[in-house]
Each structure stands twice: as C-alpha cells, then as structure tokens.
C-alpha cells in the first residue's frame, strides 16, 4: 500500500468512506448509487483542488516519496537496449550513480543518473543515492565517451546531495564535482538534465550543467535541504516547512527565476501513482527537447549553453 502523506489525508478518508458505503450497499442489498456518485464527484473535485494547489512543503514530501520512480525505472520504461557501464577506471564502481548506453526512438544515447534504493538493503548498497567521488568520475567518463561517439546525453537528477563522509573527502569529492561542472560546460553534444526527485546541493549540480534542464512538477532543486536551511537560519530544523517556502525550490519557482527550462507535468498525486503513465509523459518531453537541440548547430549550441548560465542570477544596487 502506498505511503499516505499528511496533506493527502482528506482524500484518503473520503475514498475509504466511499468503499465502506459500497460494501454496506452490497451486504444489505440496498441501492445507494446516488449517494456513491455524489461522493465520487466530491472526491474528484477534492483531488483536483488538492493536487493543483500544493504548497512547497507538500511537493518536498512527494519528491521524497519512497515509491517515487527512480532512474533505472525510467530507463526501463522509456529506453531500449540499455547496457549499463561500470567503474571510473581510477578507484571503483559507485552504485549511487548508474549510466550506460541505450536507444531512444532508434537513436543511440548515453544515460547517466543518480540511483537510490527502494528497500533498506538496496538503499545501503546505493548509499541512499548519495554518490562518492568515483560516482562522479564514472559519470564524467561516460560523458566523454558520449562526446567521442557523438551521442546525446540525458541525465537524471535524484539525490539529497553528494556523500559527505571522510572517505569521500579523502578521495576528492569537491574536485570530482568541480571537474564535472567544468567539463559539462564544454561538452560538444546536446545535454539534457531532468530533476526527477530531490535535486540537492553540488551532488545534484554535478549532473546539472545542460543545454536544457527539465523538472518533474513535484521535484525540488536547491543548494540545501529545507531542514538544513532551517537549522542554519533559525537553529531549528522543525521550521523546514517555512524554509521550503522561502527557498523557492519548486519547479514553478525555478522556471520563473530562469534556472530551469521546462516543467514535466505529473499525474494526480505524484509520479509514484502510475510509473508507466508518468514515463510516457516524460518520454514525450525528452523527445521534443532532444529534437529541438539537434536542430541547433554545435557552435551555437555551445554559445547558448554559455549564455544560459551567464544569465542566471541578478545583481541589485
């Protein structure tokens, strides 16, 4: 059974009431179709109002939902002939980042993405989607390979942030992220990044320097988590809800600020409600975006990428 988030409780309670009424009508052999239809109409209206007017903190909860589709699930539903490639050729293989070659509408592409687990055992193996330096170096190796063979790159962003442990710092975490930022800025192939869940800190940005950045409607993208921001600003992590509102971390806010380029709509209640349908919606956005980028000459593509990041942010006197 799907985890129920706090803001969804009115919908869940009404849905349960409808089911109870149906059972009573069946057991008592009483016609209650009129009452049930009224409640179902009310349920549809309630769902529409609820999911179209979500607060930033509600979207944070949806982005963190344990059943939210992962990179590998989107790969399974959108792409064909995926071959996963492993290792950074320097230290080892980091399971928190997956990548490889696949076919998208008959075209070879390179896919790279953060990968978290859905069970405790898998989360431990994937380090809860928080990469080590070797994960980012694997990603860069695959990017340079894609550039060599002229394959477009699609990145999926879904991490709380890079792993902050001592071993990761000893192996050059900051340098690995910085190197990715530098190299991605000059890749001579089209690059698309999609924020599918949480996009946190430099760990997310290391896969986020792209010609087009897309975000799922209920994803988040920020320099720090709401809890972390609340702890720093107000010395109280319990004020995360207020921090989420102030930080402008939702897709709507970030598009308005010019940081992302497009929003991929989600089905009612979030992507976890129907992975196949959500994957179809995302596939259509990727198809359109990739087609647009491939119609742009390489020199213009690189110039546009430079101008895109140069234009982010404003100075006020």
């Amino acid at each position: 059974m799907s985890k129920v988030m706090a803001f969804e409780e009115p919908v869940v309670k009404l849905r349960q009431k409808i089911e109870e009424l149906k059972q009573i009508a069946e057991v008592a052999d009483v016609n209650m179709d009129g009452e049930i239809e009224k409640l179902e109409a009310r349920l549809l209206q309630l769902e529409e109002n609820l999911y179209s007017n979500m607060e930033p903190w509600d979207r944070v909860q949806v982005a963190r939902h344990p059943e939210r589709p992962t990179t590998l699930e989107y790969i399974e539903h959108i792409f064909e002939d995926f071959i996963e490639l492993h290792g950074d050729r320097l230290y080892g293989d980091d399971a928190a980042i997956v990548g490889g070659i696949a076919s998208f509408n008959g075209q070879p592409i390179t896919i790279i993405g953060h990968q978290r687990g859905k069970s405790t055992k898998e989360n431990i193996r994937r380090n809860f989607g928080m990469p080590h330096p070797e994960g980012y170096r694997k990603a860069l190796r695959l990017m340079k390979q894609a550039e060599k063979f002229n394959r477009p790159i699609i990145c999926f962003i879904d991490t709380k942030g890079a792993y902050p442990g001592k071993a990761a710092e000893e192996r050059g975490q900051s340098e690995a992220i910085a190197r990715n930022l530098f190299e991605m800025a000059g890749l001579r192939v089209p690059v698309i990044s999609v924020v599918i869940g949480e996009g946190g800190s430099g760990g997310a940005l290391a896969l986020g320097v792209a010609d087009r950045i897309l975000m799922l409607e209920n994803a988040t993208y920020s320099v720090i988590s709401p809890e972390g921001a609340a702890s720093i600003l107000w010395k109280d992590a319990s004020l995360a809800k207020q921090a989420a509102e102030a930080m402008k971390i939702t897709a709507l806010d970030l598009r308005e600020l010019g940081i992302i380029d497009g929003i991929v709509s989600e089905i009612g209640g979030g992507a976890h409600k129907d992975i196949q349908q959500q994957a179809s919606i995302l596939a259509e956005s990727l198809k359109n975006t990739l087609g647009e980028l491939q119609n742009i000459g390489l020199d213009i593509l690189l110039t546009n990428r430079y101008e895109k990041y140069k234009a982010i942010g404003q100075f006020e006197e």
Side-chain angles (χ1 to χ4, degrees), residues 249-271:
I249 62 176
T250 67
L252 289 170
D253 289 327
L254 294 170
R255 184 176 62 180
E256 185 177 336
L257 292 169
I259 294 172
I260 68 166
D261 303 289
I263 299 174
V264 180
S265 61
E266 292 194 29
I267 58 177

Side-chain angles (χ1 to χ4, degrees), residues 91 131-137 162-163 165-180:
Y91 179 83
H132 289 78
E134 53 269 24
Y136 294 115
R137 291 179 179 129
Y163 184 62
K166 182 183 177 211
E169 297 297 339
E170 288 174 342
R171 295 199 295 275
Q173 185 72 287
S174 299
E175 190 277 337
I177 292 172
R179 177 67 60 182
N180 277 26

Side-chain angles (χ1 to χ4, degrees), residues 2-3 11 13 18 25-26 36 56 63 68 83 105 118 122 130 151 170 173 179 188 201 247 262 291 304 314:
S2 180
K3 175 186 174 184
V11 168
K13 288 179 180 178
I18 292 171
E26 185 178 351
I36 291 171
R68 193 167 177 84
I83 301 172
N105 295 325
K118 286 199 168 182
E122 189 183 4
M130 297 186 292
R151 290 192 297 265
E170 288 174 342
Q173 185 72 287
R179 177 67 60 182
R188 299 179 66 80
S201 194
M247 290 166 66
N304 290 349
Q314 296 179 353

Side-chain angles (χ1 to χ4, degrees), residues 154-167:
I154 297 176
C155 297
F156 292 101
I157 296 172
D158 186 17
T159 182
K160 295 179 183 296
Y163 184 62
K166 182 183 177 211

Side-chain angles (χ1 to χ4, degrees), residues 276-291:
Q276 187 168 352
Q277 185 181 349
Q278 188 61 56
S280 296
I281 296 170
L282 178 55
E284 187 65 22
S285 292
L286 290 173
K287 177 183 175 182
N288 295 336
T289 305
L290 186 58

Side-chain angles (χ1 to χ4, degrees), residues 177-189:
I177 292 172
R179 177 67 60 182
N180 277 26
L181 303 182
F182 176 80
E183 296 288 353
M184 288 186 79
L187 287 171
R188 299 179 66 80
V189 291

Side-chain angles (χ1 to χ4, degrees), residues 2 24 43 80 194 203 227 236 260 262 301:
S2 180
I24 291 170
L43 176 63
E80 297 178 347
V194 189
E227 292 88 347
D236 186 354
I260 68 166
L301 187 77

Side-chain angles (χ1 to χ4, degrees), residues 1-2 4 8-24 36 39-40 43 46-47:
M1 184 176 177
S2 180
V4 177
E8 291 183 302
E9 288 180 1
V11 168
V12 173
K13 288 179 180 178
L14 183 54
R15 192 178 289 126
Q16 289 173 344
K17 186 175 181 180
I18 292 171
E19 289 303 316
E20 289 171 2
L21 202 58
K22 287 180 179 178
Q23 291 175 7
I24 291 170
I36 291 171
L39 287 176
E40 286 178 336
L43 176 63
L46 182 61
E47 286 181 326

